Amino acid sequence: MVDFIALAVLAAMLGSAITYIVKAKKKGVKCIGCPAGGKCSGCKK
Ligand SMILES: [Zn+2]
């Protein structure tokens, strides 16, 4: 039972993380969760 709860929590966290990444990619973000706020060399083009 405890294992099931742990799995459910993990799945929920993964789901929200994936949703966040998919949404960011749809917005055209190249550097997801960038600490430089989209101004690092990886973000600029
Ligand atoms: Zn960046």
Side-chain angles (χ1 to χ4, degrees), residues 29-44:
V29 176
K30 288 193 182 95
C31 209
I32 294 162
C34 187
K39 288 187 176 82
C40 78
S41 55
C43 300
K44 279 196 215 164

